[in-house]
């Protein structure tokens, strides 16, 4: 199984900050990576797929990128807004079982 | 309105069974692959099972193989998860989720989830 490791586990930030979350795969997954945002008691919401493609309706302050190795990926939130405080998960869909990172909580 | 609505969760004793349902509406259910994803209390997300749009292929995470069965009724726009021989570690919120109509396996639509608690 492909292991996904996110860092940091928790991130403290302020309104207007630029924050970056890293996700590392235990083997190459090309660009088969998605990012989700989850708020307490709610379902996850798709933000980005194929490492860098923004889902329709998601604000452009969210962006994603991946390395040439196909193992390291980042989610960047520019100009952090109050609505962005949540937990973020990466997910690989290169091969089954599809696996998630352990999550990164962005808090004030 | 495009949505998924889960039902069927509850408290069940270890070793017993439970069937979850997920009602789809607002989109052409029969053309999408569907999944179950779970989240134990205070923990992260874990993919559980996947079924092709036509029900012909099914995939499971190792920890539920032989105990859980995913199925679908395209005539009634409903996804199911039959859970047998339940264990305490199956306690979680179970979400149904849709993968996009592109052959990729990320999840572009989620239900609100239904809580399953396995306890004596």
């Amino acid at each position: 199984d492909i292991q996904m490791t996110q860092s940091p586990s928790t991130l403290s930030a302020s309104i207007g900050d630029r924050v970056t979350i890293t996700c590392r795969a235990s083997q190459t997954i090309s660009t088969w990576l998605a990012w989700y945002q989850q708020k307490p008691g709610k379902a996850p919401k798709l933000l980005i797929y194929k490492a860098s493609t923004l889902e329709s309706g998601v604000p452009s302050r969210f962006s994603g990128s991946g390395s040439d190795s196909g193992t390291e990926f980042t989610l960047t939130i520019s100009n952090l807004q109050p609505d962005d405080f949540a937990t973020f998960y990466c997910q690989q869909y290169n091969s089954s079982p599809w696996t998630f990172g352990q999550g990164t909580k962005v808090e004030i | 309105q495009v949505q998924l609505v889960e039902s069927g969760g509850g408290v069940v004793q270890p070793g017993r069974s439970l069937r979850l349902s997920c009602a789809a509406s607002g989109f052409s259910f029969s053309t999408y692959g569907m999944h179950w994803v779970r989240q134990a209390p205070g923990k992260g997300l874990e993919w559980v099972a996947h079924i092709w749009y036509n029900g012909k292929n099914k995939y499971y995470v190792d920890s539920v193989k032989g105990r859980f069965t995913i199925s679908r009724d395209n005539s009634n726009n409903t996804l199911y998860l039959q859970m047998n021989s339940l264990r305490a570690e199956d306690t979680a919120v179970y979400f149904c989720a849709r993968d996009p109509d592109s052959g990729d396996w990320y999840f572009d639509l989620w239900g609100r989830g239904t809580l399953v608690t396995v306890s004596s």
Side-chain angles (χ1 to χ4, degrees):
Chain A
D1 299 359
I2 298 175
Q3 308 301 317
M4 306 300 292
T5 304
Q6 288 181 233
S7 60
S9 296
T10 306
L11 189 159
S12 297
S14 302
I15 303 300
D17 282 356
R18 175 187 175 96
V19 301
T20 298
I21 299 169
T22 298
C23 177
R24 289 185 173 84
S26 60
Q27 62 190 76
T28 183
I29 58 170
S30 186
T31 57
W32 305 121
L33 184 101
W35 288 97
Y36 303 88
Q37 177 191 53
Q38 187 180 33
K39 296 180 181 179
K42 303 293 186 181
K45 173 188 173 184
L46 176 67
L47 299 175
I48 287 169
Y49 60 94
K50 208 171 181 185
S52 61
T53 303
L54 202 65
E55 172 72 345
S56 176
V58 174
S60 59
R61 61 180 181 273
F62 292 92
S63 63
S65 65
S67 67
D68 290 344
S69 67
T71 60
E72 186 163 329
F73 303 86
T74 59
L75 172 70
T76 299
I77 312 171
S78 303
N79 188 21
L80 198 67
Q81 295 299 297
D83 191 51
D84 300 337
F85 291 95
T87 300
F88 295 84
Y89 294 94
C90 61
Q91 176 234 334
Q92 67 82 18
Y93 54 100
N94 179 77
S95 61
S96 176
W98 299 285
T99 47
F100 293 85
Q102 81 279 16
T104 295
K105 183 177 182 180
V106 177
E107 59 184 22
I108 299 173
Chain B
Q1 183 180 3
V2 176
Q3 64 177 359
L4 299 169
V5 179
E6 302 92 338
S7 61
V11 180
V12 61
Q13 293 179 329
R16 303 298 292 264
S17 299
L18 205 61
R19 188 176 83 156
L20 306 183
S21 300
C22 170
S25 59
F27 65 98
S28 182
F29 178 73
S30 63
T31 66
Y32 286 87
M34 297 296 297
H35 302 253
W36 289 98
V37 177
R38 68 184 177 183
Q39 186 169 37
K43 302 298 184 182
L45 300 166
E46 180 184 36
W47 169 79
V48 174
H50 168 47
I51 186 168
W52 278 23
Y53 69 98
N54 57 10
K56 288 190 175 182
N57 285 289
K58 305 174 184 181
Y59 305 88
Y60 301 92
V61 69
D62 283 350
S63 60
V64 309
K65 282 180 183 174
R67 300 188 300 121
F68 289 13
T69 302
I70 189 172
S71 62
R72 64 191 299 160
D73 180 348
N74 285 345
S75 62
N76 286 306
N77 296 333
T78 304
L79 175 73
Y80 300 101
L81 185 68
Q82 177 67 43
M83 304 185 295
N84 298 332
S85 302
L86 282 161
R87 306 167 180 169
E89 54 265 35
D90 296 319
T91 294
V93 174
Y94 285 74
F95 298 99
C96 64
R98 183 185 79 175
D99 65 47
D101 189 16
S102 62
D104 292 331
W105 299 292
Y106 57 89
F107 313 116
D108 67 349
L109 179 67
W110 297 67
R112 291 184 179 182
T114 187
L115 177 62
V116 173
T117 302
V118 183
S119 174
S120 55

